[in-house]
Amino acid sequence: MRREDDFEVRSKHLQHMTDEELDAYFWELAEKIVNPLIELAYYHTSPSIERSVLLRMGFSSIEAKEIVNRIEERGLLSKGAGHIVLKVAERAKTDYLTAGRGLANGQYLDVLDEIAREARENEA
């Protein structure tokens, strides 16, 4: 099957543009393509993404799984697991690795519940 060359027809609206205008038009179109992806990434996450974040923070995969489970059970996953671990560490007056490992082992759950309660109150 031979494809008919229709470049001249399709590019007619571009032919009057200068190089600078073409460059600006390119970036305008690129933004239209990328902005929905950025918005999607900003407002949506998943347990696997959050586990990945925790792995990069220095937690083991087993710790990351437990931390994410505890955060997800309380409806806080959309806040970001790393962010929640940092908040727990701040309130518990400890470093984030200790706080995260504590969460994985069932400690600091009262602090996590407090954060969840505050999040619900702020959303209401």
Side-chain angles (χ1 to χ4, degrees), residues 61-123:
S61 60
I62 294 168
E63 292 167 335
K65 182 180 184 296
E66 286 303 315
I67 294 167
V68 167
N69 287 345
R70 294 185 196 285
I71 290 171
E72 189 175 27
E73 287 168 357
R74 288 159 177 82
L76 293 172
L77 197 63
S78 66
K79 307 291 184 197
H83 175 73
I84 297 299
V85 168
L86 292 174
K87 282 181 132 337
V88 169
E90 182 182 285
R91 292 183 186 199
K93 298 185 182 353
T94 188
D95 65 281
Y96 77 90
L97 287 171
T98 302
R101 289 185 177 124
L103 283 173
N105 293 320
Q107 299 171 324
Y108 306 117
L109 297 181
D110 55 333
V111 177
L112 192 58
D113 289 335
E114 180 183 314
I115 293 169
R117 190 172 41 258
E118 289 172 6
R120 285 190 301 273
E121 289 171 2
N122 289 336
E123 290 173 1

Side-chain angles (χ1 to χ4, degrees), residues 39-54:
E39 185 174 328
L40 184 67
Y42 187 81
Y43 291 108
H44 297 80
T45 191
S46 69
S48 64
I49 289 171
E50 296 306 318
R51 284 192 301 270
S52 178
V53 169
L54 293 173

